Amino acid sequence: MKLIIGNWKMNGNMDEKNFLFKDISNTKTKNKVIMCLPFTLLWGDSFGVTLGAQDVSNHENGAYTGDISVSMLKDAGVKYVIVGHSERRTFHNETNETVKEKATLAIKNGIIPVVCIGETMEEKNAGHTTAVIKKMLTESMPDNGEFVVAYEPRWAIGTGVTPTTSEIVSAVKTVFDALPTPMPILYGGSINANNAKEIVSIPYVDGLLVGGASLKSETFLPIIKSIN
Ligand code: 13P
């Protein structure tokens, strides 16, 4: 079974959620589909689709205006939470240390964290991909418990460019070798209906983290169907 995780980022509204979720629930798949939505959409009917969030506070509760705690996510029926997405690391200066705190807190409260890692184009061009991935993973992952790793090269996010098969193999094998026990490893970055099947068939790839193409039925359902 593969994991197909949609990440809506800062997009969508309740009508669009209901529309897509109904379509997902009517689509036969042997894989697991998880939708990570903005906080404001984490309520109402989920039509049987597993709910995820895109971030969580690294604090349990208290005076942290604007933040959302893991117990609030649990209350809303969330099962997975993305931590350390490259956009959080870039625009909110999140460090590996903060990401690890968030992942640890999520696990403690029964929510599975999806720990994101990935190199920049500069790091890739300098031949540092393996070292960067290893360091980000070992410093960001929780010490115990069940989690998911998402390998998302920053230069592949929203660009329409994907790594070669051998680049993905090398990166996910690095992740696999750095994990103390096997955990699902996802690939993310410019996934669409034309490349999903091929990428998800790469050794060590247990699923996909899909951004833009997860927003609408026309682009997301073909991805789900293509990897059945
Ligand atoms: P795109 O699929 O839009 O490239 O985004 C990938 C991503 O960042 C998912 O978390």
Side-chain angles (χ1 to χ4, degrees):
M1 188 192 68
K2 305 284 186 180
L3 293 180
I4 308 169
I5 306 189
N7 174 12
W8 268 19
K9 308 191 178 185
M10 199 171 70
N11 294 293
N13 59 34
M14 199 46 102
D15 277 350
E16 288 166 334
K17 171 195 165 184
N18 289 336
F19 196 82
L20 177 65
F21 276 36
K22 268 185 226 166
D23 277 351
I24 293 173
S25 70
N26 288 324
T27 304
K28 278 209 179 68
T29 176
K30 57 179 170 38
N31 300 308
K32 188 176 174 88
V33 179
I34 299 148
M35 292 303 296
C36 296
L37 301 184
F39 293 132
T40 53
L41 300 179
L42 296 174
W43 67 281
D45 198 341
S46 288
F47 304 95
V49 176
T50 304
L51 273 187
Q54 300 171 13
D55 185 38
V56 67
S57 173
N58 57 330
H59 301 286
E60 240 152 329
N61 53 54
Y64 299 101
T65 301
D67 285 350
I68 297 285
S69 75
V70 78
S71 62
M72 293 169 185
L73 294 184
K74 208 171 165 187
D75 197 34
V78 165
K79 307 286 185 218
Y80 289 77
V81 62
I82 295 172
V83 292
H85 190 280
S86 82
E87 287 145 18
R88 301 293 313 173
R89 293 177 185 266
T90 303
F91 304 126
H92 295 267
N93 302 317
E94 287 197 9
T95 61
N96 292 337
E97 190 187 4
T98 316
V99 176
K100 179 174 180 168
E101 286 169 5
K102 291 180 176 195
T104 305
L105 212 46
I107 288 172
K108 190 176 152 200
N109 287 275
I111 292 183
I112 300 175
V114 180
V115 180
C116 297
I117 55 165
E119 81 286 0
T120 63
M121 185 51 103
E122 292 70 37
E123 289 163 341
K124 171 182 155 59
N125 289 341
H128 296 157
T129 301
T130 304
V132 168
I133 291 173
K134 220 182 261 179
K135 181 171 160 65
M136 278 181 101
L137 179 65
T138 49
E139 293 182 5
S140 303
M141 71 182 173
D143 293 327
N144 301 295
E146 186 191 344
F147 60 96
V148 174
V149 180
Y151 168 59
E152 297 203 300
R154 293 192 191 195
W155 50 272
I157 295 177
T159 58
V161 182
T162 52
T164 63
T165 298
S166 65
E167 284 171 339
I168 297 179
V169 170
S170 159
V172 292
K173 177 72 165 59
T174 300
V175 172
F176 183 84
D177 289 340
L179 287 169
T181 52
M183 299 290 168
I185 305 169
L186 313 183
Y187 167 82
S190 295
I191 287 292
N192 58 46
N194 296 324
N195 60 24
K197 188 180 166 59
E198 191 182 334
I199 291 180
V200 91
S201 312
I202 294 174
Y204 303 104
V205 175
D206 300 303
L208 303 170
L209 183 50
V210 186
S214 73
L215 289 171
K216 299 226 169 344
S217 301
E218 302 89 89
T219 47
F220 197 46
L221 301 185
I223 293 176
I224 299 174
K225 288 177 188 162
S226 75
I227 60 177
N228 258 345

